[in-house]
mmCIF file of all heavy atoms in Angstrom:
data_model
loop_
_atom_site.group_PDB
_atom_site.id
_atom_site.type_symbol
_atom_site.label_atom_id
_atom_site.label_comp_id
_atom_site.label_asym_id
_atom_site.label_seq_id
_atom_site.Cartn_x
_atom_site.Cartn_y
_atom_site.Cartn_z
ATOM 1 N N ARG A 1 -13.835 -5.314 -3.723
ATOM 2 C CA ARG A 1 -13.147 -5.496 -5.004
ATOM 3 C C ARG A 1 -11.624 -5.270 -4.828
ATOM 4 O O ARG A 1 -10.810 -6.016 -5.282
ATOM 5 C CB ARG A 1 -13.664 -4.529 -6.058
ATOM 6 C CG ARG A 1 -13.019 -4.645 -7.376
ATOM 7 C CD ARG A 1 -13.302 -5.941 -8.050
ATOM 8 N NE ARG A 1 -12.622 -6.003 -9.342
ATOM 9 C CZ ARG A 1 -12.149 -7.166 -9.802
ATOM 10 N NH1 ARG A 1 -12.292 -8.277 -9.136
ATOM 11 N NH2 ARG A 1 -11.491 -7.162 -10.954
ATOM 12 N N LEU A 2 -11.278 -4.255 -4.051
ATOM 13 C CA LEU A 2 -9.844 -3.989 -3.797
ATOM 14 C C LEU A 2 -9.263 -5.137 -3.016
ATOM 15 O O LEU A 2 -8.174 -5.606 -3.303
ATOM 16 C CB LEU A 2 -9.645 -2.666 -3.017
ATOM 17 C CG LEU A 2 -8.224 -2.298 -2.649
ATOM 18 C CD1 LEU A 2 -7.336 -2.291 -3.848
ATOM 19 C CD2 LEU A 2 -8.253 -0.894 -1.979
ATOM 20 N N GLY A 3 -9.954 -5.609 -1.987
ATOM 21 C CA GLY A 3 -9.538 -6.763 -1.205
ATOM 22 C C GLY A 3 -9.247 -7.969 -2.074
ATOM 23 O O GLY A 3 -8.278 -8.691 -1.922
ATOM 24 N N SER A 4 -10.170 -8.259 -3.010
ATOM 25 C CA SER A 4 -9.991 -9.373 -3.926
ATOM 26 C C SER A 4 -8.789 -9.220 -4.813
ATOM 27 O O SER A 4 -7.991 -10.095 -4.991
ATOM 28 C CB SER A 4 -11.224 -9.507 -4.785
ATOM 29 O OG SER A 4 -11.109 -10.525 -5.786
ATOM 30 N N LEU A 5 -8.539 -8.020 -5.371
ATOM 31 C CA LEU A 5 -7.390 -7.741 -6.210
ATOM 32 C C LEU A 5 -6.085 -7.888 -5.425
ATOM 33 O O LEU A 5 -5.094 -8.335 -5.976
ATOM 34 C CB LEU A 5 -7.532 -6.331 -6.833
ATOM 35 C CG LEU A 5 -8.658 -6.194 -7.874
ATOM 36 C CD1 LEU A 5 -8.831 -4.714 -8.182
ATOM 37 C CD2 LEU A 5 -8.337 -7.042 -9.091
ATOM 38 N N ILE A 6 -6.123 -7.485 -4.182
ATOM 39 C CA ILE A 6 -4.877 -7.627 -3.345
ATOM 40 C C ILE A 6 -4.613 -9.110 -3.146
ATOM 41 O O ILE A 6 -3.449 -9.545 -3.302
ATOM 42 C CB ILE A 6 -5.073 -6.919 -1.966
ATOM 43 C CG1 ILE A 6 -5.117 -5.375 -2.135
ATOM 44 C CG2 ILE A 6 -3.969 -7.346 -1.006
ATOM 45 C CD1 ILE A 6 -5.547 -4.670 -0.907
ATOM 46 N N SER A 7 -5.670 -9.912 -2.830
ATOM 47 C CA SER A 7 -5.471 -11.359 -2.687
ATOM 48 C C SER A 7 -4.945 -12.005 -3.890
ATOM 49 O O SER A 7 -4.182 -12.996 -3.821
ATOM 50 C CB SER A 7 -6.773 -11.992 -2.276
ATOM 51 O OG SER A 7 -7.209 -11.514 -1.052
ATOM 52 N N GLN A 8 -5.349 -11.541 -5.060
ATOM 53 C CA GLN A 8 -4.935 -12.040 -6.348
ATOM 54 C C GLN A 8 -3.571 -11.507 -6.784
ATOM 55 O O GLN A 8 -3.115 -11.841 -7.879
ATOM 56 C CB GLN A 8 -5.960 -11.751 -7.426
ATOM 57 C CG GLN A 8 -7.279 -12.440 -7.183
ATOM 58 C CD GLN A 8 -8.382 -11.889 -8.103
ATOM 59 O OE1 GLN A 8 -8.142 -11.434 -9.201
ATOM 60 N NE2 GLN A 8 -9.649 -11.935 -7.645
ATOM 61 N N ARG A 9 -2.979 -10.621 -5.983
ATOM 62 C CA ARG A 9 -1.648 -10.034 -6.230
ATOM 63 C C ARG A 9 -1.646 -9.252 -7.576
ATOM 64 O O ARG A 9 -0.702 -9.229 -8.273
ATOM 65 C CB ARG A 9 -0.537 -11.083 -6.234
ATOM 66 C CG ARG A 9 -0.412 -11.735 -4.825
ATOM 67 C CD ARG A 9 0.854 -12.451 -4.536
ATOM 68 N NE ARG A 9 2.118 -11.732 -4.853
ATOM 69 C CZ ARG A 9 2.705 -10.957 -3.969
ATOM 70 N NH1 ARG A 9 2.172 -10.632 -2.829
ATOM 71 N NH2 ARG A 9 3.863 -10.363 -4.312
ATOM 72 N N GLN A 10 -2.761 -8.495 -7.753
ATOM 73 C CA GLN A 10 -2.856 -7.660 -8.946
ATOM 74 C C GLN A 10 -2.624 -6.240 -8.621
ATOM 75 O O GLN A 10 -2.545 -5.424 -9.558
ATOM 76 C CB GLN A 10 -4.228 -7.839 -9.628
ATOM 77 C CG GLN A 10 -4.467 -9.179 -10.244
ATOM 78 C CD GLN A 10 -5.804 -9.242 -10.974
ATOM 79 O OE1 GLN A 10 -6.802 -9.575 -10.357
ATOM 80 N NE2 GLN A 10 -5.804 -8.832 -12.217
ATOM 81 N N ILE A 11 -2.487 -5.912 -7.389
ATOM 82 C CA ILE A 11 -2.249 -4.488 -6.962
ATOM 83 C C ILE A 11 -0.769 -4.249 -6.809
ATOM 84 O O ILE A 11 -0.056 -4.979 -6.217
ATOM 85 C CB ILE A 11 -2.984 -4.138 -5.625
ATOM 86 C CG1 ILE A 11 -4.505 -4.383 -5.802
ATOM 87 C CG2 ILE A 11 -2.600 -2.786 -5.144
ATOM 88 C CD1 ILE A 11 -5.115 -3.434 -6.814
ATOM 89 N N VAL A 12 -0.354 -3.156 -7.443
ATOM 90 C CA VAL A 12 1.060 -2.682 -7.254
ATOM 91 C C VAL A 12 1.012 -1.358 -6.598
ATOM 92 O O VAL A 12 0.116 -0.496 -6.839
ATOM 93 C CB VAL A 12 1.877 -2.624 -8.596
ATOM 94 C CG1 VAL A 12 2.166 -4.009 -9.098
ATOM 95 C CG2 VAL A 12 1.156 -1.794 -9.651
ATOM 96 N N GLN A 13 1.908 -1.106 -5.617
ATOM 97 C CA GLN A 13 1.862 0.133 -4.864
ATOM 98 C C GLN A 13 3.034 1.074 -5.222
ATOM 99 O O GLN A 13 4.175 0.667 -5.223
ATOM 100 C CB GLN A 13 1.945 -0.253 -3.373
ATOM 101 C CG GLN A 13 1.830 0.885 -2.400
ATOM 102 C CD GLN A 13 0.440 1.497 -2.393
ATOM 103 O OE1 GLN A 13 -0.469 1.035 -3.050
ATOM 104 N NE2 GLN A 13 0.361 2.645 -1.733
ATOM 105 N N HIS A 14 2.634 2.271 -5.535
ATOM 106 C CA HIS A 14 3.619 3.325 -5.866
ATOM 107 C C HIS A 14 4.033 3.983 -4.542
ATOM 108 O O HIS A 14 3.236 4.317 -3.681
ATOM 109 C CB HIS A 14 3.077 4.343 -6.817
ATOM 110 C CG HIS A 14 4.070 5.253 -7.392
ATOM 111 N ND1 HIS A 14 4.724 6.201 -6.712
ATOM 112 C CD2 HIS A 14 4.584 5.274 -8.626
ATOM 113 C CE1 HIS A 14 5.565 6.843 -7.474
ATOM 114 N NE2 HIS A 14 5.510 6.321 -8.707
ATOM 115 N N PRO A 15 5.365 4.148 -4.287
ATOM 116 C CA PRO A 15 5.847 4.688 -2.982
ATOM 117 C C PRO A 15 5.319 6.129 -2.725
ATOM 118 O O PRO A 15 5.144 6.478 -1.603
ATOM 119 C CB PRO A 15 7.330 4.656 -3.090
ATOM 120 C CG PRO A 15 7.654 4.473 -4.553
ATOM 121 C CD PRO A 15 6.492 3.793 -5.148
ATOM 122 N N TYR A 16 4.980 6.872 -3.803
ATOM 123 C CA TYR A 16 4.471 8.206 -3.558
ATOM 124 C C TYR A 16 3.040 8.184 -3.010
ATOM 125 O O TYR A 16 2.683 9.032 -2.275
ATOM 126 C CB TYR A 16 4.448 9.014 -4.876
ATOM 127 C CG TYR A 16 5.872 9.358 -5.346
ATOM 128 C CD1 TYR A 16 7.051 8.912 -4.765
ATOM 129 C CD2 TYR A 16 6.014 10.163 -6.542
ATOM 130 C CE1 TYR A 16 8.278 9.220 -5.285
ATOM 131 C CE2 TYR A 16 7.270 10.548 -7.017
ATOM 132 C CZ TYR A 16 8.350 10.040 -6.351
ATOM 133 O OH TYR A 16 9.653 10.353 -6.836
ATOM 134 N N VAL A 17 2.263 7.152 -3.426
ATOM 135 C CA VAL A 17 0.913 7.003 -2.890
ATOM 136 C C VAL A 17 1.045 6.550 -1.351
ATOM 137 O O VAL A 17 0.418 7.148 -0.494
ATOM 138 C CB VAL A 17 0.137 5.929 -3.627
ATOM 139 C CG1 VAL A 17 -1.228 5.607 -2.956
ATOM 140 C CG2 VAL A 17 -0.169 6.426 -5.034
ATOM 141 N N THR A 18 1.979 5.693 -1.076
ATOM 142 C CA THR A 18 2.160 5.359 0.306
ATOM 143 C C THR A 18 2.584 6.573 1.098
ATOM 144 O O THR A 18 2.043 6.798 2.212
ATOM 145 C CB THR A 18 3.338 4.231 0.450
ATOM 146 O OG1 THR A 18 2.946 3.090 -0.321
ATOM 147 C CG2 THR A 18 3.547 3.842 1.856
ATOM 148 N N GLY A 19 3.424 7.433 0.550
ATOM 149 C CA GLY A 19 3.816 8.603 1.217
ATOM 150 C C GLY A 19 2.666 9.524 1.435
ATOM 151 O O GLY A 19 2.600 10.154 2.528
ATOM 152 N N GLU A 20 1.807 9.727 0.486
ATOM 153 C CA GLU A 20 0.623 10.593 0.682
ATOM 154 C C GLU A 20 -0.324 10.072 1.808
ATOM 155 O O GLU A 20 -0.806 10.819 2.565
ATOM 156 C CB GLU A 20 -0.187 10.683 -0.629
ATOM 157 C CG GLU A 20 0.405 11.559 -1.669
ATOM 158 C CD GLU A 20 -0.496 11.796 -2.900
ATOM 159 O OE1 GLU A 20 -1.189 10.783 -3.264
ATOM 160 O OE2 GLU A 20 -0.481 12.858 -3.388
ATOM 161 N N ILE A 21 -0.394 8.696 1.901
ATOM 162 C CA ILE A 21 -1.292 8.176 2.899
ATOM 163 C C ILE A 21 -0.658 8.312 4.283
ATOM 164 O O ILE A 21 -1.344 8.702 5.203
ATOM 165 C CB ILE A 21 -1.562 6.657 2.560
ATOM 166 C CG1 ILE A 21 -2.405 6.601 1.329
ATOM 167 C CG2 ILE A 21 -2.208 5.975 3.756
ATOM 168 C CD1 ILE A 21 -2.493 5.223 0.719
ATOM 169 N N ILE A 22 0.621 8.030 4.411
ATOM 170 C CA ILE A 22 1.162 8.098 5.725
ATOM 171 C C ILE A 22 1.410 9.444 6.347
ATOM 172 O O ILE A 22 1.664 9.562 7.516
ATOM 173 C CB ILE A 22 2.481 7.187 5.827
ATOM 174 C CG1 ILE A 22 3.592 7.765 5.015
ATOM 175 C CG2 ILE A 22 2.167 5.733 5.466
ATOM 176 C CD1 ILE A 22 4.953 6.988 5.166
ATOM 177 N N VAL A 23 1.374 10.492 5.502
ATOM 178 C CA VAL A 23 1.505 11.841 6.084
ATOM 179 C C VAL A 23 0.131 12.330 6.571
ATOM 180 O O VAL A 23 0.052 13.336 7.232
ATOM 181 C CB VAL A 23 2.093 12.880 5.062
ATOM 182 C CG1 VAL A 23 3.521 12.489 4.643
ATOM 183 C CG2 VAL A 23 1.182 13.068 3.873
ATOM 184 N N GLY A 24 -0.893 11.573 6.291
ATOM 185 C CA GLY A 24 -2.228 11.873 6.810
ATOM 186 C C GLY A 24 -2.548 11.124 8.070
ATOM 187 O O GLY A 24 -1.639 10.475 8.636
ATOM 188 N N ASN A 25 -3.764 11.200 8.508
ATOM 189 C CA ASN A 25 -4.198 10.505 9.755
ATOM 190 C C ASN A 25 -4.782 9.139 9.271
ATOM 191 O O ASN A 25 -5.836 9.118 8.730
ATOM 192 C CB ASN A 25 -5.230 11.300 10.464
ATOM 193 C CG ASN A 25 -4.660 12.527 11.162
ATOM 194 O OD1 ASN A 25 -3.535 12.453 11.670
ATOM 195 N ND2 ASN A 25 -5.394 13.600 11.179
ATOM 196 N N VAL A 26 -4.060 8.076 9.577
ATOM 197 C CA VAL A 26 -4.548 6.768 9.267
ATOM 198 C C VAL A 26 -4.644 5.905 10.573
ATOM 199 O O VAL A 26 -3.883 6.066 11.441
ATOM 200 C CB VAL A 26 -3.629 6.042 8.234
ATOM 201 C CG1 VAL A 26 -3.710 6.669 6.888
ATOM 202 C CG2 VAL A 26 -2.279 5.919 8.726
ATOM 203 N N GLY A 27 -5.702 5.160 10.624
ATOM 204 C CA GLY A 27 -5.916 4.269 11.753
ATOM 205 C C GLY A 27 -4.852 3.129 11.597
ATOM 206 O O GLY A 27 -4.361 2.792 10.592
ATOM 207 N N SER A 28 -4.537 2.557 12.804
ATOM 208 C CA SER A 28 -3.570 1.480 12.845
ATOM 209 C C SER A 28 -2.388 1.785 12.038
ATOM 210 O O SER A 28 -1.966 1.077 11.136
ATOM 211 C CB SER A 28 -4.178 0.150 12.410
ATOM 212 O OG SER A 28 -5.361 -0.171 13.079
ATOM 213 N N ARG A 29 -1.775 2.924 12.362
ATOM 214 C CA ARG A 29 -0.695 3.486 11.582
ATOM 215 C C ARG A 29 0.391 2.508 11.180
ATOM 216 O O ARG A 29 0.720 2.359 9.995
ATOM 217 C CB ARG A 29 -0.154 4.717 12.330
ATOM 218 C CG ARG A 29 0.943 5.508 11.546
ATOM 219 C CD ARG A 29 1.313 6.726 12.290
ATOM 220 N NE ARG A 29 2.187 7.460 11.494
ATOM 221 C CZ ARG A 29 1.808 8.101 10.377
ATOM 222 N NH1 ARG A 29 0.542 8.105 9.977
ATOM 223 N NH2 ARG A 29 2.689 8.791 9.657
ATOM 224 N N GLU A 30 0.943 1.797 12.112
ATOM 225 C CA GLU A 30 2.063 0.886 11.826
ATOM 226 C C GLU A 30 1.610 -0.285 10.953
ATOM 227 O O GLU A 30 2.282 -0.631 10.054
ATOM 228 C CB GLU A 30 2.689 0.348 13.134
ATOM 229 C CG GLU A 30 3.479 1.405 13.830
ATOM 230 C CD GLU A 30 4.160 0.831 15.141
ATOM 231 O OE1 GLU A 30 4.376 -0.387 15.199
ATOM 232 O OE2 GLU A 30 4.339 1.599 16.090
ATOM 233 N N ASN A 31 0.443 -0.794 11.206
ATOM 234 C CA ASN A 31 -0.107 -1.881 10.403
ATOM 235 C C ASN A 31 -0.403 -1.426 8.968
ATOM 236 O O ASN A 31 -0.116 -2.184 8.031
ATOM 237 C CB ASN A 31 -1.358 -2.493 10.997
ATOM 238 C CG ASN A 31 -1.062 -3.237 12.317
ATOM 239 O OD1 ASN A 31 0.089 -3.701 12.499
ATOM 240 N ND2 ASN A 31 -2.087 -3.351 13.144
ATOM 241 N N THR A 32 -0.942 -0.242 8.842
ATOM 242 C CA THR A 32 -1.240 0.308 7.519
ATOM 243 C C THR A 32 0.007 0.460 6.683
ATOM 244 O O THR A 32 0.099 0.075 5.563
ATOM 245 C CB THR A 32 -2.031 1.630 7.599
ATOM 246 O OG1 THR A 32 -3.209 1.399 8.352
ATOM 247 C CG2 THR A 32 -2.296 2.212 6.270
ATOM 248 N N ILE A 33 1.034 1.077 7.317
ATOM 249 C CA ILE A 33 2.273 1.309 6.618
ATOM 250 C C ILE A 33 2.922 -0.039 6.284
ATOM 251 O O ILE A 33 3.328 -0.222 5.092
ATOM 252 C CB ILE A 33 3.290 2.120 7.489
ATOM 253 C CG1 ILE A 33 2.757 3.558 7.701
ATOM 254 C CG2 ILE A 33 4.695 2.116 6.879
ATOM 255 C CD1 ILE A 33 3.449 4.336 8.717
ATOM 256 N N TRP A 34 2.895 -0.978 7.125
ATOM 257 C CA TRP A 34 3.450 -2.317 6.863
ATOM 258 C C TRP A 34 2.714 -2.969 5.691
ATOM 259 O O TRP A 34 3.361 -3.525 4.785
ATOM 260 C CB TRP A 34 3.392 -3.220 8.096
ATOM 261 C CG TRP A 34 3.945 -4.536 7.836
ATOM 262 C CD1 TRP A 34 5.216 -4.986 7.915
ATOM 263 C CD2 TRP A 34 3.188 -5.723 7.459
ATOM 264 N NE1 TRP A 34 5.324 -6.298 7.551
ATOM 265 C CE2 TRP A 34 4.060 -6.738 7.214
ATOM 266 C CE3 TRP A 34 1.782 -5.910 7.212
ATOM 267 C CZ2 TRP A 34 3.609 -8.051 6.825
ATOM 268 C CZ3 TRP A 34 1.394 -7.165 6.782
ATOM 269 C CH2 TRP A 34 2.350 -8.195 6.674
ATOM 270 N N ALA A 35 1.375 -2.929 5.735
ATOM 271 C CA ALA A 35 0.545 -3.537 4.723
ATOM 272 C C ALA A 35 0.798 -2.966 3.361
ATOM 273 O O ALA A 35 0.935 -3.665 2.294
ATOM 274 C CB ALA A 35 -0.943 -3.510 5.089
ATOM 275 N N LEU A 36 0.886 -1.615 3.252
ATOM 276 C CA LEU A 36 1.139 -0.989 2.010
ATOM 277 C C LEU A 36 2.534 -1.302 1.431
ATOM 278 O O LEU A 36 2.703 -1.508 0.214
ATOM 279 C CB LEU A 36 0.962 0.558 2.093
ATOM 280 C CG LEU A 36 -0.512 1.048 2.328
ATOM 281 C CD1 LEU A 36 -0.520 2.516 2.691
ATOM 282 C CD2 LEU A 36 -1.410 0.733 1.178
ATOM 283 N N ARG A 37 3.517 -1.288 2.303
ATOM 284 C CA ARG A 37 4.851 -1.588 1.881
ATOM 285 C C ARG A 37 5.082 -3.013 1.519
ATOM 286 O O ARG A 37 6.064 -3.362 0.822
ATOM 287 C CB ARG A 37 5.860 -1.096 2.950
ATOM 288 C CG ARG A 37 5.819 0.446 3.084
ATOM 289 C CD ARG A 37 6.859 0.955 4.034
ATOM 290 N NE ARG A 37 8.194 0.861 3.409
ATOM 291 C CZ ARG A 37 9.298 0.847 4.023
ATOM 292 N NH1 ARG A 37 9.310 0.968 5.325
ATOM 293 N NH2 ARG A 37 10.411 0.731 3.378
ATOM 294 N N ALA A 38 4.226 -3.933 1.960
ATOM 295 C CA ALA A 38 4.286 -5.310 1.663
ATOM 296 C C ALA A 38 3.765 -5.665 0.207
ATOM 297 O O ALA A 38 4.043 -6.702 -0.250
ATOM 298 C CB ALA A 38 3.538 -6.149 2.701
ATOM 299 N N LEU A 39 3.021 -4.726 -0.318
ATOM 300 C CA LEU A 39 2.490 -4.935 -1.645
ATOM 301 C C LEU A 39 3.635 -4.899 -2.710
ATOM 302 O O LEU A 39 4.601 -4.176 -2.505
ATOM 303 C CB LEU A 39 1.409 -3.869 -1.991
ATOM 304 C CG LEU A 39 0.126 -3.969 -1.201
ATOM 305 C CD1 LEU A 39 -0.667 -2.649 -1.409
ATOM 306 C CD2 LEU A 39 -0.685 -5.152 -1.579
ATOM 307 N N PRO A 40 3.437 -5.592 -3.851
ATOM 308 C CA PRO A 40 4.421 -5.405 -4.905
ATOM 309 C C PRO A 40 4.552 -3.953 -5.302
ATOM 310 O O PRO A 40 3.575 -3.206 -5.242
ATOM 311 C CB PRO A 40 3.823 -6.223 -6.074
ATOM 312 C CG PRO A 40 2.891 -7.192 -5.404
ATOM 313 C CD PRO A 40 2.362 -6.536 -4.224
ATOM 314 N N ARG A 41 5.731 -3.565 -5.614
ATOM 315 C CA ARG A 41 6.066 -2.111 -5.817
ATOM 316 C C ARG A 41 6.011 -1.717 -7.320
ATOM 317 O O ARG A 41 6.503 -2.463 -8.162
ATOM 318 C CB ARG A 41 7.416 -1.822 -5.271
ATOM 319 C CG ARG A 41 7.891 -0.447 -5.363
ATOM 320 C CD ARG A 41 9.311 -0.324 -4.772
ATOM 321 N NE ARG A 41 9.939 0.854 -5.232
ATOM 322 C CZ ARG A 41 10.324 1.842 -4.352
ATOM 323 N NH1 ARG A 41 10.111 1.755 -3.119
ATOM 324 N NH2 ARG A 41 10.927 2.908 -4.870
ATOM 325 N N LEU A 42 5.483 -0.568 -7.569
ATOM 326 C CA LEU A 42 5.529 0.079 -8.787
ATOM 327 C C LEU A 42 6.660 1.096 -8.725
ATOM 328 O O LEU A 42 6.477 2.070 -7.920
ATOM 329 C CB LEU A 42 4.198 0.764 -9.196
ATOM 330 C CG LEU A 42 4.141 1.417 -10.523
ATOM 331 C CD1 LEU A 42 4.088 0.320 -11.695
ATOM 332 C CD2 LEU A 42 2.921 2.272 -10.675
ATOM 333 N N ASP A 43 7.704 0.885 -9.438
ATOM 334 C CA ASP A 43 8.870 1.810 -9.238
ATOM 335 C C ASP A 43 8.586 3.163 -9.859
ATOM 336 O O ASP A 43 8.070 3.300 -10.927
ATOM 337 C CB ASP A 43 10.091 1.196 -9.930
ATOM 338 C CG ASP A 43 10.574 -0.088 -9.213
ATOM 339 O OD1 ASP A 43 10.512 -0.063 -7.949
ATOM 340 O OD2 ASP A 43 11.026 -1.040 -9.904
#
């Protein structure tokens, strides 16, 4: 469902959520950060 919403450009990403994610242990760190930052932003 999340993948579908991303494809439909319905997901907006808040930078604080990105921050919470990247301070943790995420796989494919650079790709994950890039993908999250590429989403439309919620200011």
Side-chain angles (χ1 to χ4, degrees):
R1 180 70 183 142
L2 179 55
S4 175
L5 292 168
I6 292 168
S7 295
Q8 296 169 28
R9 299 198 48 86
Q10 289 184 271
I11 299 299
V12 289
Q13 184 67 8
H14 194 286
Y16 292 4
V17 172
T18 302
E20 285 186 322
I21 292 167
I22 65 175
V23 299
N25 290 323
V26 293
S28 305
R29 185 170 185 74
E30 288 182 28
N31 289 338
T32 300
I33 293 168
W34 178 86
L36 291 172
R37 293 185 74 201
L39 292 168
R41 180 181 162 116
L42 183 72
D43 292 323

